[in-house]
Amino acid sequence: MPTDVLATKLHVPVPRPRNVARPRLLERLNRELGSGRKLTLACAPAGFGKTTILSEWIARSKRNFPDMRVAWLSLDEGDNDPSRFLTYLVSALQGIETDIGTEAMTLLHGAQVAPVELVLTALLNDVPRAGGEIILVLDDYHVIEARPIHEAISFLLNHLPSQLHLAIASRSDPPLPLARLRSRGELTELRVADLRFTPDEAADFLNQAMDLGLSTDDIAALETRTEGWIAGLQLAALSMREHDDVSGFIRAFTGSHRFIIDYLVEEVLHRQTDDVRSFLLNTCVLDRLTGPLCEALTGEGGGTEMLETLERENLFVVPLDDQRQWYRYHHLFADVLRARMLTELPGRELALHRLASEWFERHDLAEDAVRHALAAEDFGRAASLMEAALPAMRRDRQDVMLLGWLRALPDEVLRRSPVLSVFCAWRMLVAGDLEGVEPWLREAEQGLGAAAGTMDLSERPVADKSVHGEEFRTLPSTIAMYRAALAQALGDVAGTTQHARRALELTQPGDHLARAAAGGFLGLASWAAGDVETALRTFSGAVTSLHAAGDVADELSSTIVLADMWIARGRPQEARRLYERALQMATAQGEPVPRATADLHVGISELHREFDELGTALHHLLTSTALGEHAALTENRHRWFVAMARVREAEGDPDGAIELLDEAGRLHLRGFVPEVRPIAAVKARIRIAQGRLPEALDWAREHGLSATDDLRYLREFEHVTLARLLIAQYRIHWAENTIRDAVALLDRLLEAAEGSGRNGSANEILVLQALAQEAQGHRPQALASLERALLQTAPEGYVRLFLDEGAPMAALLRGAELHGIAADHGGRLLRAFGTAPGEALITPRDAAPSLEALSRRELQVLRLLDTELTGPEIARELFVSVNTLRTHTKHIFAKLEVNSRVTAVRSAKERGLI
């Protein structure tokens, strides 16, 4: 169990010896538990005995079923932080079996934030190995407001192992799939009507548990007044102990529960001795009580003895552990006590919170110390405590709590703390308020100046005791790092480089993680600028720093980025070697496999697809799926769908590929890694290959693309895609301007790519140049471009780069073969097309005339012949004379060996020409 977990929150309440027996409820709970129901929900307002009935049920179940084990978690407002909630949830289960949740806890406290579903999957996979039935109780669930936690519990319910049963106590219906559970018979519900005392139970409580000896009429009247509300009955019983006229007392109160509670607590307090009353009022600000803590607030001794007395007297104290060291007041009782304290002890509340904060600080309970300092409005003290707690908060990923703390402090206090100012900048960054980042970083720098003696330190609060701490020492580097992150988010490549370089200069040689982060930003900035060679050199250094720090998960995930850089460099074989080494490293780590292992399989699958090893590519994708989400990074989830889409496209299923890309788009999360292959552009390429050019045109317009744009690397993939679209338009409409635009754009793109060492892009551009030149009828230039592409790609084993271009590329490769160009690689590619070197290239139908047997203009005329247009209308469509159209038609009839328009169209369709 982590050292920062409060054991009192995991304590299973022990039923009081004189609790009222409620066999009707206990039998029902046991009966429905045995029927395999997933969830027991006790839902009612405060004071209806939800916790009591669950604790009694647990105690009886353990007596009747010795193998039954119970995990209990008492929730509070602080548990709205998903990381903290899951930590306590896992710890509760580890209390009954230490082997449960080992991997889940590792994920929670790893270097990166783990997805909630991933943590729960690891946890649920451990439960069956524990053996025996388990009941997991979440008490006071109504305090949970965080949607991610509700989603986590819904996920847990959807995947609950058969031996695990969940019980929830809440004042209101939790936003869980209750209707579905109810319709399936998987939900047991205890509501107000079930939990309120019946007349017989009220009689047992008042006369047996509280020793009042009331008459039947008085019990009936009291039960009617309170409507079986247990807290009201208990308060009434405490009040009646000193009353002579019980019947008159019972008649004296009526109304709502809130009215009754106020009235009865006044009665109870009025009858306590001065020392008990003073103790109750001075300690009511505490969420949990222990003797020494109470003594710190009251200034009196005997705190432990007083708590034991209150428990014996049934004065609404609830033990939180078996040793009776920690207690809490019943929530309703505490609320009224606090209201009375404000009236009877004006001005005392803030002092009590300050005393509590000091006690918790002395006992290293930072969260409680901060909470009470904030309640005391002692913001300087709260800032000091926050700074001291920051390393642990960051290590345990308690980001939600940290954000809440920062919001609770006034800006003027935050500005006096350079450490907290930096974290305010972080708060702006994660919230997407980019304009708010830099002002806080400047505040932090001013604070650093004050610490160096250039400002008056006397104005700064006690928070500056951390000046010599680790967080303060590394602040200059941290500030530069956040500026690099801000620049990256703004797309400012130069700014990212400048600030990342500054951060690197400010780190110490042995600070491997900081150096890795700074080097990583430098590498990514160089990549975003298109300088792949510098990116590779710098980012490789960052990966080396991660290795030196022993950060395996980040080293593996960074390998994926590094491999992408090698692909951009035109070196897929080097990328493959990287992936293979990384997979060997991941395998050597044993179970559980490190984070990012599944992503490595996705990355290497993309290489196998390029090598036209589709079976191997699919195997790696399925292996990635089998490893599960816990072996993948959230920011990479979309890549699996992109990779599978490319495989489906290669297999001839473009529509299936589009569906996968749609899912990739839904999963995609913007991150620090440059988006060099936007998903929308990948989809546009498939549309172009399908001939669905209007949709591709819509994409180009939507993204503001034109052939005359200024070129930059982050849009290179989109501009290459635009060139593909222009070539496709020319093949259909033969508009000369489109092919001229395509060729001019490709010329500029090739110059930019080759000038920056981006051979991956250059190879594709050369292929498209060859196809564009061939479409223009410039066969010599086309073969020259193709030869360059073949010579550059042969050592690296590129295949799909050529195969994906279809029949036009196959024909061009045949032409290259005839001219003796790059025969080895060209021959391999022809075999991949299904054509052996030296064989005739034919269309899919039979040995009939191929696509190349007709000129481009004749193919265009042939397509128009397959319409309802008349001869003159076709001529106008083509901007030619009727005589010219007749000449084209005569040539078509001769080549197809037909003598009419109808038979020409039929023959063309049979031969697969249209």
Side-chain angles (χ1 to χ4, degrees):
M1 182 187 301
T3 56
D4 57 348
V5 168
L6 293 171
T8 53
K9 287 170 62 66
L10 311 181
H11 172 68
V12 181
V14 178
R16 296 174 183 271
R18 303 182 68 182
N19 274 355
V20 174
R22 311 192 74 183
R24 63 184 178 89
L25 296 181
L26 298 176
E27 290 172 5
R28 176 183 167 193
L29 289 172
N30 281 329
R31 182 175 63 255
E32 297 188 357
L33 174 65
S35 67
R37 303 202 175 196
K38 289 185 175 183
L39 174 64
T40 293
L41 174 64
C43 184
F48 272 94
K50 300 180 294 293
T51 301
T52 300
I53 192 63
L54 289 180
S55 65
E56 290 179 354
W57 173 48
I58 294 300
R60 174 173 290 196
S61 297
K62 291 173 71 174
R63 287 196 301 270
N64 295 338
F65 308 100
D67 292 336
M68 177 74 72
R69 290 179 290 178
V70 177
W72 188 288
L73 174 55
S74 297
L75 299 166
D76 57 50
E77 286 81 359
D79 295 319
N80 278 287
D81 183 327
S83 177
R84 170 180 158 131
F85 175 86
L86 290 172
T87 296
Y88 271 104
L89 184 69
V90 175
S91 298
L93 288 166
Q94 287 183 333
I96 60 175
E97 179 66 54
T98 56
D99 291 338
I100 295 179
T102 303
E103 181 185 352
M105 199 67 83
T106 300
L107 291 171
L108 281 168
H109 300 288
Q112 296 179 335
V113 177
V116 171
E117 290 186 4
L118 176 60
V119 176
L120 287 175
T121 298
L123 178 64
L124 292 173
N125 287 338
D126 284 345
V127 170
R129 292 196 289 269
E133 298 293 319
I134 298 173
I135 298 176
L136 171 62
V137 182
L138 302 179
D139 196 14
D140 289 331
Y141 191 83
H142 54 270
V143 302
I144 299 298
E145 299 175 349
R147 181 177 176 183
I149 295 179
H150 296 313
E151 292 173 350
I153 297 302
S154 296
F155 178 87
L156 188 149
L157 285 166
N158 288 335
H159 301 86
L160 207 65
S162 58
Q163 73 207 76
L164 180 61
H165 183 83
L166 182 63
I168 290 177
S170 177
R171 295 183 187 177
S172 58
D173 271 356
L176 302 174
L178 300 181
R180 186 174 74 242
L181 292 169
R182 190 180 294 119
S183 66
R184 294 177 178 175
E186 296 175 338
L187 174 63
T188 297
E189 298 176 85
L190 296 181
R191 301 283 179 175
V192 170
D194 306 299
L195 291 168
R196 62 164 49 108
F197 274 167
T198 64
D200 288 343
E201 289 169 341
D204 286 345
F205 174 73
L206 294 167
N207 287 341
Q208 301 300 321
M210 303 301 289
D211 291 323
L212 291 180
L214 299 181
S215 69
T216 302
D217 290 343
D218 287 338
I219 292 172
L222 192 55
E223 195 274 334
T224 300
R225 289 283 195 279
T226 60
E227 297 180 333
W229 183 40
I230 301 170
L233 286 168
Q234 185 174 356
L235 283 168
L238 290 170
S239 301
M240 287 188 292
R241 282 176 172 171
E242 306 299 328
H243 269 280
D244 295 330
D245 183 6
V246 171
S247 298
F249 170 82
I250 292 172
R251 290 191 299 272
F253 73 88
T254 186
S256 68
H257 288 168
R258 182 74 260 172
F259 175 85
I260 294 172
I261 200 78
D262 290 344
Y263 175 80
L264 294 178
V265 169
E266 288 298 321
E267 285 283 330
V268 171
L269 288 177
H270 179 70
R271 299 187 181 283
Q272 302 307 314
T273 61
D274 289 343
D275 58 336
V276 170
R277 183 183 182 88
S278 175
F279 182 93
L280 293 171
L281 294 177
N282 279 284
T283 58
C284 65
V285 298
L286 300 170
D287 293 325
R288 54 197 181 102
L289 310 98
T290 190
L293 172 59
C294 293
E295 291 170 4
L297 270 65
T298 63
E300 303 286 344
T304 301
E305 292 76 11
M306 179 63 78
L307 289 170
E308 292 172 351
T309 299
L310 295 177
E311 184 186 8
R312 283 195 304 272
E313 295 295 322
N314 284 316
L315 268 173
F316 289 93
V317 293
V318 180
L320 296 178
D321 55 37
D322 293 330
Q323 294 75 35
R324 297 303 202 263
Q325 292 181 349
W326 286 92
Y327 297 81
R328 68 170 173 85
Y329 290 122
H330 189 287
H331 301 309
L332 286 172
F333 192 61
D335 288 344
V336 179
L337 285 177
R338 288 168 190 148
R340 293 307 307 160
M341 181 265 295
L342 293 175
T343 301
E344 297 188 20
L345 303 175
R348 179 69 173 155
E349 181 187 18
L350 299 184
L352 291 172
H353 281 296
R354 191 174 299 112
L355 290 169
S357 176
E358 293 170 356
W359 188 91
F360 281 117
E361 182 191 13
R362 290 195 300 272
H363 291 80
D364 297 321
L365 296 168
E367 181 186 338
D368 296 285
V370 169
R371 187 174 68 254
H372 283 286
L374 290 172
E377 300 179 10
D378 190 345
F379 299 121
R381 173 179 184 74
S384 172
L385 293 166
M386 290 178 193
E387 288 187 350
L390 273 174
M393 297 286 290
R394 295 174 65 193
R395 181 191 66 235
D396 296 337
R397 298 286 183 178
Q398 297 191 51
D399 294 346
V400 174
M401 184 178 295
L402 179 55
L403 288 169
W405 284 358
L406 293 174
R407 284 192 291 267
L409 283 178
D411 281 357
E412 60 269 21
V413 175
L414 290 167
R415 291 191 183 99
R416 293 198 295 268
S417 167
V419 171
L420 296 183
S421 292
V422 165
F423 279 92
C424 285
W426 163 75
R427 181 182 69 184
M428 298 292 107
L429 194 61
V430 298
D433 183 4
L434 301 185
E435 293 183 358
V437 176
E438 180 59 30
W440 282 110
L441 294 178
R442 287 197 295 268
E443 293 286 352
E445 286 180 324
Q446 292 175 9
L448 284 172
T454 60
M455 293 177 65
D456 184 3
L457 287 175
S458 63
E459 296 180 0
R460 303 185 72 225
V462 66
D464 287 323
K465 73 180 185 180
S466 69
V467 164
H468 303 292
E470 182 68 14
E471 294 286 340
F472 196 93
R473 183 185 67 77
T474 60
L475 268 187
S477 172
T478 305
I479 291 171
M481 200 81 70
Y482 278 124
R483 285 200 168 113
L486 175 62
Q488 183 86 350
L490 292 170
D492 179 4
V493 175
T496 305
T497 302
Q498 173 191 346
H499 296 303
R501 187 171 288 121
R502 176 61 177 160
L504 193 60
E505 292 170 355
L506 292 169
T507 58
Q508 299 298 314
D511 194 349
H512 298 299
L513 288 177
R515 295 185 70 81
F521 272 119
L522 275 175
L524 293 174
S526 297
W527 190 17
D531 185 357
V532 179
E533 188 172 349
T534 301
L536 278 167
R537 184 175 61 254
T538 311
F539 204 83
S540 294
V543 175
T544 300
S545 294
L546 290 170
H547 183 79
D551 190 341
V552 175
D554 281 344
E555 183 181 355
L556 293 178
S557 63
S558 296
T559 296
I560 298 165
V561 178
L562 196 58
D564 282 345
M565 291 179 180
W566 278 113
I567 293 169
R569 189 77 170 91
R571 299 280 300 279
Q573 295 294 348
E574 182 60 33
R576 172 152 70 174
R577 283 188 286 272
L578 269 179
Y579 276 126
E580 289 171 347
R581 284 198 298 268
L583 285 169
Q584 289 173 359
M585 182 193 307
T587 303
Q589 300 297 313
E591 295 291 340
V593 296
R595 297 287 303 281
T597 304
D599 302 325
L600 295 172
H601 283 284
V602 173
I604 200 170
S605 80
E606 295 177 301
L607 296 175
H608 285 293
R609 184 221 183 256
E610 176 55 49
F611 303 146
D612 200 33
E613 299 164 352
L614 298 185
T616 306
L618 187 59
H619 169 75
H620 279 288
L621 288 170
L622 296 177
T623 300
S624 173
T625 301
L627 287 172
E629 291 188 359
H630 69 279
L633 300 174
T634 304
E635 60 267 31
N636 287 336
R637 288 176 63 195
H638 72 285
R639 288 188 62 143
W640 186 95
F641 291 90
V642 173
M644 184 60 83
R646 300 300 316 284
V647 171
R648 292 285 178 251
E649 179 192 11
E651 291 176 336
D653 182 11
D655 291 330
I658 291 292
E659 290 180 7
L660 287 161
L661 290 171
D662 287 339
E663 182 62 21
R666 285 189 287 272
L667 293 173
H668 180 256
L669 300 172
R670 283 191 63 98
F672 294 122
V673 178
E675 294 183 51
V676 295
R677 290 189 300 173
I679 294 170
V682 178
K683 289 171 64 176
R685 290 186 173 205
I686 295 177
R687 295 306 191 201
I688 293 168
Q690 288 181 294
R692 297 167 65 170
L693 302 192
E695 293 169 67
L697 280 168
D698 288 343
W699 161 81
R701 294 190 191 100
E702 182 181 339
H703 290 80
L705 291 166
S706 97
T708 57
D709 288 338
D710 291 335
L711 301 183
R712 55 191 180 94
Y713 177 54
L714 290 181
R715 302 210 74 180
E716 185 172 76
F717 188 85
E718 292 175 305
H719 280 121
V720 173
T721 306
L722 176 63
R724 289 180 173 279
L725 175 58
L726 294 170
I727 294 171
Q729 285 181 293
Y730 177 68
R731 284 174 175 160
I732 293 177
H733 301 294
W734 310 109
E736 293 295 333
N737 63 310
T738 60
I739 197 66
R740 284 197 302 270
D741 287 347
V743 171
L745 176 58
L746 289 169
D747 287 343
R748 292 196 299 133
L749 286 167
L750 182 62
E751 181 182 4
E754 290 185 329
S756 297
R758 299 192 300 274
N759 290 340
S761 296
N763 293 334
E764 181 184 4
I765 294 166
L766 283 169
V767 166
L768 292 179
Q769 274 190 331
L771 293 172
Q773 290 158 347
E774 174 73 359
Q776 287 178 301
H778 302 156
R779 173 59 69 91
Q781 295 97 316
L783 291 177
S785 297
L786 179 61
E787 182 177 21
R788 288 183 61 193
L790 290 171
L791 291 173
Q792 287 184 189
T793 59
E796 295 293 329
Y798 284 89
V799 177
R800 295 303 315 185
L801 175 66
F802 300 91
L803 259 61
D804 289 343
E805 303 304 331
M809 175 53 65
L812 194 54
L813 283 168
R814 172 61 62 209
E817 182 199 23
L818 294 175
H819 287 78
I821 294 173
D824 289 344
H825 193 37
R828 286 194 296 271
L829 292 172
L830 281 171
R831 283 189 290 274
F833 269 111
T835 305
E839 292 181 358
L841 182 67
I842 61 174
T843 58
R845 294 297 178 185
D846 50 29
S850 71
L851 186 66
E852 279 63 46
L854 298 174
S855 71
R856 293 185 299 277
R857 179 60 92 182
E858 288 166 351
L859 282 171
Q860 190 175 18
V861 170
L862 186 56
R863 293 188 183 96
L864 290 173
L865 291 176
D866 187 26
T867 67
E868 296 180 355
L869 296 177
T870 65
E873 288 170 337
I874 292 175
R876 285 194 294 273
E877 183 77 13
L878 295 172
F879 300 100
V880 297
S881 68
V882 173
N883 285 334
T884 301
L885 174 64
R886 287 173 180 161
T887 301
H888 285 310
T889 304
K890 188 180 298 183
H891 290 161
I892 292 169
F893 286 0
K895 290 179 180 179
L896 295 182
E897 299 178 352
V898 296
N899 56 17
S900 71
R901 176 174 179 173
V902 173
T903 55
V905 169
R906 182 188 307 122
S907 177
K909 289 182 177 179
E910 290 173 350
R911 298 165 187 266
L913 296 177
I914 60 174

